[in-house]
Amino acid sequence: MLVNIEDFRKKARKTLPRFVFDYVDGAADGGRCMQRNATDLADVELTPRVLRDTTRIDTSIEVFGRKWSLPFGIAPMGLNGLVRPGGDGMLAAAAARYGIPFALSTASNMRLEDVASVGEGVRWMQLYVMHRDMAGQIVQRAQHAGYEALVLTVDVPVSGNRELDLRNGFRVPFKPSLRLAWDVVTHPVWSLQTARAGAPDFANLTAGGGDAGSANMQAALLARAMDRSLVWDSLGWLRELWKGPLLLKGVLHAEDALIALDRGVDGLIVSNHGGRQHDASPSAIRALPRVVTAVKGRIPVFMDSGVRRGGDVVKALALGATAAFVGRPLLYGLAASGRAGAESVLGLLADELVRAMTLMGASSVSDLR
């Protein structure tokens, strides 16, 4: 019986080959930043209020003129198709069912147009900038396909030192080896699913949105070989291309939040990339209040990195976040049983959220603030 996110994690570990699970679950260097995310969230204390009417719990919020049924969404994650073929579409469908946003990664394994056609839902597009021309094409395609917000990830000037991936020889395209062959053979369910669908690739990396980008472009994306000349002045280039809300993901410093305000950014996501980039970075939950204080309510501030329970979402909201985004838990659910597993994870988080709000004496999200 899967009763919490850790149960889904254990199921994913059994289901996925080691090199895939390690890619999903791994972190930078010694994993201390990822551990701080968990420890610092666990250390946040919330003092309940009593004798309040919690007959009805309203978990909805409004963001950029759109109603969300719950104050959390699905964070952008790459290579979802490696966990489960068609994973991007499955996550988008699960998010639509629960009335929450799904952020599609530039490193998705489905074309952004195909994901946009999966049911009704709030779709955001995450952007990595490796080459300006390619990034510009993705932005224009996302605008045309109806994505409602653009999320520029700003904490990846270079890839974090992900030691598990190095040990496993993780790369795209995959390099055959006896170790890889044994890993695949000993996970037959995953192997059959992947064999039927074919090896995943980064489907958005050709100019016209073809089935696969060039090998060089795919390798650059996997290695996070980004355009390091991208600076604050570059936001003007994006503003010319993108007409909707523009958010920066990966902001941890209050002064960067103030610069973003000055540059007209519409929202911030406080994030350390789930501990996958800089091992010395502060936890997202510790950085959150500083960023919230800096912007003084002028733009929404979201957070991700380390959310494993609905109660973690409540903690983020109580510390000033507009909403939280959840990453790895959805991939654990996807590995366990596809779209049904992802929906089970969302249902679990929603139930925990409602219970935590009730115990806090909060009948609405605004009560938590």
Side-chain angles (χ1 to χ4, degrees), residues 288-289 292 295 299-302 314-323 368-369:
L288 175 63
V292 168
V295 303
I299 57 174
V301 176
F302 308 87
V314 169
K315 292 175 180 181
L317 298 172
L319 288 171
T322 299
L368 294 168
R369 308 210 197 281

Side-chain angles (χ1 to χ4, degrees), residues 44-197:
V44 174
E45 294 182 352
L46 299 173
T47 304
R49 300 297 303 274
V50 299
L51 294 178
R52 293 189 168 195
D53 186 354
T54 54
T55 306
R56 295 182 179 180
I57 303 295
D58 181 7
T59 62
S60 67
I61 60 173
E62 185 174 307
V63 177
F64 301 134
R66 287 278 265 157
K67 181 178 179 180
W68 301 8
S69 296
L70 295 157
F72 60 84
I74 299 180
M77 296 171 286
L79 275 178
N80 294 335
L82 188 61
V83 175
R84 176 79 61 148
D88 298 298
M90 293 177 186
L91 292 181
R97 179 186 170 188
Y98 276 85
I100 62 174
F102 169 70
L104 181 71
S105 172
T106 294
S108 66
N109 303 127
M110 290 178 62
R111 294 178 65 224
L112 64 89
E113 291 86 356
D114 295 335
V115 174
S117 68
V118 178
E120 295 293 329
V122 179
R123 305 276 191 266
W124 289 10
M125 185 72 209
Q126 178 271 342
L127 182 67
Y128 284 127
V129 180
M130 298 170 295
H131 300 285
R132 300 286 177 99
D133 289 345
M134 178 67 69
Q137 291 166 12
I138 290 174
V139 169
Q140 291 173 332
R141 287 169 54 201
Q143 188 96 64
H144 183 72
Y147 285 78
E148 299 176 26
L150 184 68
V151 180
L152 175 65
T153 296
V154 294
D155 60 355
V156 189
V158 66
S159 181
N161 182 37
R162 301 179 189 176
E163 295 179 358
L164 289 177
D165 290 347
L166 292 173
R167 293 184 190 280
N168 292 329
F170 186 88
R171 68 194 69 185
V172 174
F174 302 121
K175 184 177 180 179
S177 69
L178 289 176
R179 180 178 176 181
L180 176 63
W182 178 252
D183 200 7
V184 169
V185 167
T186 53
H187 294 85
V189 174
W190 178 91
S191 300
L192 287 172
Q193 291 171 344
T194 304
R196 292 192 190 104

Side-chain angles (χ1 to χ4, degrees), residues 62-65 68 124 143 148-152 232 235 238-240 242-249 251 256-269 291 295 297-302 322:
E62 185 174 307
V63 177
F64 301 134
W68 301 8
W124 289 10
Q143 188 96 64
E148 299 176 26
L150 184 68
V151 180
L152 175 65
W232 288 108
L235 295 181
L238 274 182
R239 278 295 190 194
E240 288 294 318
W242 181 258
K243 306 308 178 187
L246 172 64
L247 297 93
L248 302 187
K249 179 181 184 296
V251 174
D256 284 339
L258 291 173
I259 295 172
L261 267 178
D262 186 58
R263 298 286 178 155
V265 169
D266 300 297
L268 300 174
I269 302 179
V291 173
V295 303
R298 285 173 284 182
I299 57 174
V301 176
F302 308 87
T322 299

